[in-house]
Amino acid sequence: MRWRSLVLVLALALGLLAVVSTARVSDPGVRREPLVAVEQHAPARVLLVFVDSLSRDLATNAEKMPVLSRLAKEGVSFDVEPCRDQLTYLCLRAALTGHDDSSLLAVADNFRPSQEGPPETLLSAVAGKGERVSVLGTSDFHPYRRSLFIERPLAKHEETPEFVSAMVRTARQDDAALTLVSLGSGDMTAHAHGVHSPEYAAVFRRLDSTVGALADALPPDTSLVVFGDHGHDALGRHLPGTASRTWALYHGPAFRPGFKAAISITDHRALLGVLLGVPTEAIYRGPAMASVFQPDWVATALGGRLPKLEAPPAGAAEVPVLRWLSMLGIALAFVGGVWLLTSAERRAPFVALAAGASVLAALVGLEYDPIRSLVHDHGDSPERGLSLLVPLALGCVVATFVRKSQLFELRARPAWFPTAAACALLVTFLLLLPTAYYYGSRRAVVLAGALAIAVLLVDYWRRGLGRWQERVPPTLALVLAVAVLVTFYQVKQLGPETGGAAAWALSASIYTHSSWLPLLAAKLILFGVLVFPRVAQRPLDTAVAGVLLVICELVELGATPPRLVYAALFGALVLGVLFARQRAPSSLFAGSLLLLEHLYGADPAHLAPLETILAVTAALLAAWQRVGLTPFGQKLLSGFTVTVGFYLTFWPTVGFHLAGIDFAYMFQWVPEAQYEHFWQVIALGVILKLALPLVLVLALARAQLRDRLTRTVVTATFAAKVALLSVMISAYAIGHTMASQQALAMLAELLLLLFGVGCCLVALPLADPAVPTSA
């Protein structure tokens, strides 16, 4: 069952890859235009300085970068929107080609040798004109080496004003029309130490002085251009969806002094094409070129006429036949997979539900804009809250269908209210809009989960099972779950809107101002529910687990264990999983919590919600055995509990968006000067950081997940979520570009879900012959 589900999920993911691979065919920003000749009467010399991670906010701060602020008053400065993916090699490609045609999923194409046309790069255009291009500095321009006359390497620690100026003086003997200086120490420092660190401020002061030394020694006939690829947000990240705008300076006799404007990073290609007099596509979308260039220079260098490089209006879009076929294919694959994976006597109702869900997902994708406008774009108005009646109504419809169709082999029909509550949660989880930026499935799942647990709590007390003293512990667990879900509803926006997208974080005061309380409560709950009941069978394991939990609390209060302690802990956990998993489960779990302290920098904003999710999951799994449910109901609710806990874990880890991935902690293990050469090690660390919280959720339910039905609920629900999300995205692609921030947010969630499914399929326990597999 596990591997058949894996094959189905991978097939659906490959289908979506086919959708995204067709995105360039009809996206208006990808259309190639004929080259326009730029007739230059006088040869130009340009010194192009690339500063990796040059943030707009930093570059425009006169106290932190006084040289750039002074030069901006003497020339033209731009607030620059980076490329969509906000990765250095992709942003450089966009600046040199004029096209931001990267795709989040087209990994192989993103890494193709970009010096090969089409489109022609600025460097190949200069070389094709018979002029020389000289590069010194980092290896960021090495992919374009066929167009370069010479490369001179420069280590990041050598990026001082004196050393760089000496190398530029040496490069003058190349007689190059374009001299490129590539400086990368800023990005390295931002990742290693953060944007609020003294090291970050110091390195950019040094880079500012370096630019000043180059500007002071510049010959009168040479233009200076300084530009960045992206900035960093407040947390030091630069990934799709983050607010990390960059900046550029054009200085010299060709430019009007003091002019300020905003451009896209792709506009550099047209501006530099005019400056260097090389053929350029009509792709420019920035401010009027007459407001950028000096009239005297235009008259002398261009014969008094600027080339017409403005981008033409977008033409009519082609009929996206491939996207329609892809959407239909993914939907049919999902329905067909359900047909294959269900037994013959229960096949019809399951296939009907799968088909209905596919139709709804397709409609959401096709009518995404009006639905989002109706549901999401009303701020805090009451109209938006009414949208929750839709999944509630659909849940009631599904509950009626489940009860009448006898979907499961039960002796009696399930109770109406618990069934409707569970179905409303399931519909909400599967079908609401998948975006991390609006009032979408995350917050709606929180409310639906709280409603479902509240209904189960009322039903439990209505039935009056057992003495009231026996009902107190499960009641407390259910009330705790509702209270925690309510705290997850409160979020705050981090930074300004960026292309229709913004980052969000949990904002409940219990996670921001009183985080010690949930951290302490979570450990007490985990010890009482998970560790203490095993004291009679495993006293040593219980004692070790208790000590490790106390150490976790001390670390959260400010203690900082040496790095070697974490290395030893990681080694012990690996050996324990391999050889002592059955004898020391509590110690392994507590040790994993201590490792989380290191992976998340002991940051309460991440750790408090993560540990709270783990504690509530453990409490609910224990409560379902004591609320008078049938064995079938216990297994079903256990599966739903693991699924929702697993899903919500993505919020405190990455915020359901790739922009939340942080790997700064890996610089404790990889020398910061060598991180570009050890990116595989950093990638493994990131995988561990993302996977460990998900695996801990599964570890809590290891006993329950040995049952086939519970395990099937978890895997099938996530597989259905991936499938329906793929249908919705493929339907969205029919009428939208897949290059927008909104589309990237959807694709990011899909990738994270696929990662979660992979963790789930690998970490789930195998069936235990001693545990019955059917109700």
Side-chain angles (χ1 to χ4, degrees):
M1 178 67 181
R2 178 188 303 187
W3 298 113
R4 285 189 293 172
S5 300
L6 178 60
V7 171
L8 174 60
V9 170
L10 291 179
L12 293 168
L14 290 175
L16 187 60
L17 286 174
V19 176
V20 179
S21 67
T22 67
R24 292 195 176 92
V25 176
S26 58
D27 285 349
V30 182
R31 185 176 60 185
R32 310 301 180 194
E33 300 293 339
L35 292 177
V36 176
V38 179
E39 298 182 4
Q40 193 174 50
H41 293 226
R45 291 289 183 267
V46 177
L47 178 64
L48 184 60
V49 181
F50 166 61
V51 181
D52 198 345
S53 297
L54 179 62
S55 169
R56 173 199 59 186
D57 296 334
L58 187 63
T60 55
N61 189 319
E63 295 182 0
K64 296 182 178 180
M65 302 196 79
V67 172
L68 287 184
S69 297
R70 173 177 60 83
L71 293 175
K73 297 177 182 178
E74 302 171 1
V76 175
S77 59
F78 293 112
D79 177 349
V80 183
E81 178 69 27
C83 66
R84 288 182 298 270
D85 297 74
Q86 299 189 22
L87 300 176
T88 296
Y89 71 98
L90 293 174
C91 288
L92 284 179
R93 181 193 300 174
L96 296 177
T97 64
H99 293 281
D100 187 7
D101 55 358
S102 60
S103 170
L104 187 66
L105 297 183
V107 178
D109 187 66
N110 285 343
F111 282 95
R112 64 180 168 82
S114 33
Q115 77 275 10
E116 301 293 341
E120 187 179 55
T121 69
L122 176 73
L123 307 185
S124 62
V126 173
K129 189 183 174 184
E131 301 284 357
R132 293 177 175 179
V133 180
S134 176
V135 173
L136 63 93
T138 66
S139 59
D140 289 317
F141 291 90
H142 186 67
Y144 309 95
R145 56 192 174 277
R146 293 185 183 179
S147 301
L148 304 181
F149 173 71
I150 191 171
E151 285 184 273
R152 293 181 174 87
L154 178 69
K156 291 182 174 63
H157 68 274
E158 297 174 334
E159 294 177 359
T160 63
E162 299 77 16
F163 202 92
V164 175
S165 297
M167 291 196 70
V168 171
R169 287 195 297 270
T170 302
R172 288 177 186 165
Q173 67 187 10
D174 302 333
D175 191 28
L178 176 61
T179 302
L180 266 164
V181 179
S182 181
L183 307 175
S185 56
D187 182 69
M188 177 187 72
T189 306
H191 286 305
H193 301 286
V195 296
H196 301 295
S197 65
E199 293 85 354
Y200 180 81
V203 76
F204 274 96
R205 277 196 302 268
R206 188 181 70 188
L207 291 172
D208 187 60
S209 299
T210 301
V211 172
L214 296 178
D216 293 341
L218 208 62
D221 62 340
T222 302
S223 297
L224 172 67
V225 178
V226 181
F227 80 106
D229 51 347
H230 53 74
H232 285 268
D233 69 358
L235 300 178
R237 306 167 304 183
H238 57 91
L239 285 168
T242 55
S244 50
R245 296 178 73 87
T246 184
W247 188 81
L249 165 73
Y250 284 71
H251 184 276
F255 305 102
R256 293 179 181 267
F259 180 74
K260 297 181 180 180
I263 62 172
S264 170
I265 196 168
T266 55
D267 290 324
H268 284 312
R269 174 64 179 89
L271 293 171
L272 292 170
V274 172
L275 187 60
L276 289 162
V278 295
T280 303
E281 289 183 71
I283 52 177
Y284 181 68
R285 291 183 170 86
M289 284 193 174
S291 63
V292 176
F293 292 97
Q294 282 276 24
D296 294 344
W297 181 86
V298 174
T300 303
L302 302 179
R305 187 175 62 182
L306 285 166
K308 295 182 179 180
L309 299 179
E310 288 74 17
E318 301 175 9
V319 178
V321 176
L322 289 177
R323 299 188 188 185
W324 276 102
L325 293 176
S326 297
M327 181 195 71
L328 182 61
I330 295 173
L332 291 177
F334 172 53
V335 176
V338 172
W339 186 84
L340 289 173
L341 296 175
T342 50
S343 59
E345 60 274 10
R346 296 286 178 264
R347 183 169 292 160
F350 277 109
V351 169
L353 286 174
S358 298
V359 171
L360 287 174
L363 290 176
V364 169
L366 291 170
E367 300 297 327
Y368 183 85
D369 290 331
I371 292 176
R372 194 188 76 178
S373 176
L374 178 65
V375 176
H376 297 292
D377 296 343
H378 292 289
D380 294 322
S381 64
E383 291 83 355
R384 188 173 66 169
L386 293 176
S387 64
L388 293 178
L389 296 176
V390 176
L392 181 61
L394 288 174
C396 294
V397 171
V398 173
T400 302
F401 179 82
V402 169
R403 295 176 79 243
K404 289 187 175 181
S405 63
Q406 296 184 348
L407 200 60
F408 304 100
E409 295 182 4
L410 301 175
R411 295 179 180 178
R413 288 185 179 182
W416 164 252
F417 283 108
T419 305
C423 289
L425 174 60
L426 186 62
V427 169
T428 303
F429 176 75
L430 293 177
L431 290 179
L432 273 192
L433 301 184
T435 163
Y437 302 118
Y438 297 95
Y439 182 86
S441 54
R442 258 65 57 208
R443 300 173 81 181
V445 165
V446 164
L447 291 182
L451 175 63
I453 293 175
V455 170
L456 291 171
L457 180 60
V458 171
D459 182 70
Y460 173 49
W461 277 88
R462 181 184 61 81
R463 287 181 287 142
L465 300 175
R467 296 179 301 172
W468 71 268
Q469 296 91 336
E470 297 173 348
R471 285 183 271 172
V472 171
T475 298
L476 291 177
L478 296 178
V479 171
L480 173 67
V482 173
V484 168
L485 286 171
V486 170
T487 66
F488 268 69
Y489 187 80
Q490 302 176 48
V491 296
K492 64 179 177 180
Q493 182 174 336
L494 300 177
E497 293 280 340
T498 304
W504 300 83
L506 298 173
S507 64
S509 60
I510 199 169
Y511 302 128
T512 56
H513 298 98
S514 306
S515 56
W516 63 270
L517 180 59
L519 287 169
L520 178 61
K523 292 178 182 63
L524 291 175
I525 293 171
L526 288 170
F527 184 84
V529 175
L530 184 69
V531 179
F532 186 74
R534 301 170 179 170
V535 63
Q537 296 84 2
R538 301 184 182 91
L540 180 60
D541 180 37
T542 303
V544 172
V547 170
L548 289 173
L549 290 175
V550 171
I551 294 175
C552 287
E553 192 66 28
L554 293 176
V555 171
E556 291 161 357
L557 291 175
T560 307
R563 183 178 61 178
L564 291 179
V565 171
Y566 289 112
L569 175 64
F570 179 72
L573 289 174
V574 172
L575 294 176
V577 170
L578 293 176
F579 303 109
R581 184 170 54 191
Q582 302 299 328
R583 296 190 298 274
S586 300
S587 298
L588 290 174
F589 187 89
S592 299
L593 284 183
L594 182 56
L595 183 60
L596 275 183
E597 304 286 344
H598 172 62
L599 298 180
Y600 289 89
D603 180 14
H606 287 89
L607 292 173
L610 278 176
E611 293 187 10
T612 301
I613 291 173
L614 293 173
V616 170
T617 301
L620 285 179
L621 290 173
W624 299 141
Q625 303 174 23
R626 305 179 63 177
V627 294
L629 296 172
T630 63
F632 177 83
Q634 291 182 22
K635 297 170 185 178
L636 203 62
L637 287 178
S638 296
F640 281 161
T641 300
V642 174
T643 300
V644 175
F646 193 92
Y647 183 69
L648 290 179
T649 300
F650 277 121
W651 204 336
T653 54
V654 296
F656 288 98
H657 195 260
L658 293 178
I661 296 176
D662 177 25
F663 52 87
Y665 73 99
M666 281 303 298
F667 289 111
Q668 298 185 41
W669 303 98
V670 177
E672 62 184 62
Q674 300 292 321
Y675 81 94
E676 292 174 330
H677 303 287
F678 291 94
W679 64 267
Q680 298 96 333
V681 177
I682 295 176
L684 290 174
V686 172
I687 291 173
L688 174 63
K689 178 177 182 175
L690 297 182
L692 185 56
L694 304 176
V695 172
L696 289 179
V697 173
L698 299 177
L700 289 172
R702 192 164 187 85
Q704 290 86 348
L705 290 173
R706 291 189 183 280
D707 175 76
R708 182 178 300 169
L709 176 60
T710 306
R711 194 169 58 252
T712 300
V713 168
V714 176
T715 55
T717 305
F718 272 110
K721 176 68 178 177
V722 171
L724 294 173
L725 181 55
S726 301
V727 172
M728 201 226 73
I729 294 176
S730 60
Y732 175 87
I734 291 173
H736 299 79
T737 173
M738 296 306 292
S740 66
Q741 292 285 1
Q742 187 65 58
L744 289 177
M746 297 178 185
L747 294 172
E749 178 162 339
L750 178 64
L751 287 180
L752 289 172
L753 281 172
L754 286 171
F755 178 83
V757 170
C759 293
C760 191
L761 293 172
V762 170
L764 280 176
L766 298 175
D768 189 344
V771 178
T773 59
S774 60

